[in-house]
Amino acid sequence: MSFMFFAGILSAIAAILHLGCIYFGASWYRFFGAGEEMAKLSEQGSIQPTIITSGIFLVLSIWSLYAFSAVGIITKLPFLKVILVLITCIYFLRGIAGFFFINQPLGRSPEFWFWSSIVCLFYGVIHLIGLKQQWSLL
């Protein structure tokens, strides 16, 4: 099985976890390190956390669909190569950038930046290997 298939699964899992934050609220925002402000807004019934998290869910879902398109699970999506390269780069950039926020976490914990960066770098590696495997077929 192609690494790109697993890349699609990983993005789908991340998307579902973001839906969990919307559904389960403040405790999930806190657990996943979204910051106390997001958790408090959620507790207060603000729509802001839902809008932000829904946007992230939507992006991650689309990324998952592109990975699945690359392995033929769904129909070929437009600009497949370019989008998959961009997704891979974004995962790597987010992973690297997060390490720069550990000492000034911007309302999140240093642990959030560390672990989310590790996860993003891992996702980037899986995407990169998947791209290499699938490139000639795209």
Side-chain angles (χ1 to χ4, degrees):
M1 188 63 61
S2 169
F3 271 68
M4 192 56 73
F5 171 76
F6 293 112
I9 295 291
L10 291 172
S11 290
I13 289 169
I16 291 166
L17 289 173
H18 280 82
L19 271 185
C21 288
I22 294 169
Y23 183 78
F24 294 108
S27 65
W28 274 50
Y29 283 113
R30 283 188 183 97
F31 178 79
F32 287 105
E36 190 58 28
E37 183 179 344
M38 285 285 275
K40 285 182 179 178
L41 287 169
S42 177
E43 286 175 334
Q44 295 166 359
S46 171
I47 194 149
Q48 185 178 349
T50 300
I51 291 170
I52 292 167
T53 310
S54 294
I56 297 168
F57 164 78
L58 181 62
V59 168
L60 291 168
S61 296
I62 291 169
W63 290 4
S64 181
L65 291 175
Y66 266 87
F68 292 146
S69 176
V71 293
I73 293 174
I74 64 170
T75 188
K76 188 173 181 181
L77 294 174
F79 310 108
L80 192 56
K81 278 186 176 181
V82 172
I83 298 292
L84 287 171
V85 168
L86 286 173
I87 291 167
T88 303
C89 288
I90 291 168
Y91 273 129
F92 276 119
L93 288 172
R94 167 53 186 87
I96 293 166
F99 289 112
F100 291 97
F101 293 108
I102 289 175
N103 291 325
Q104 294 190 346
L106 303 173
R108 291 170 179 80
S109 69
E111 293 80 15
F112 166 81
W113 288 111
F114 177 79
W115 289 110
S116 63
S117 292
I118 295 294
V119 168
C120 287
L121 288 172
F122 176 71
Y123 280 31
V125 167
I126 299 300
H127 274 77
L128 184 61
I129 295 169
L131 264 177
K132 186 174 188 240
Q133 288 177 336
Q134 295 297 126
W135 191 257
S136 65
L137 304 172
L138 299 177

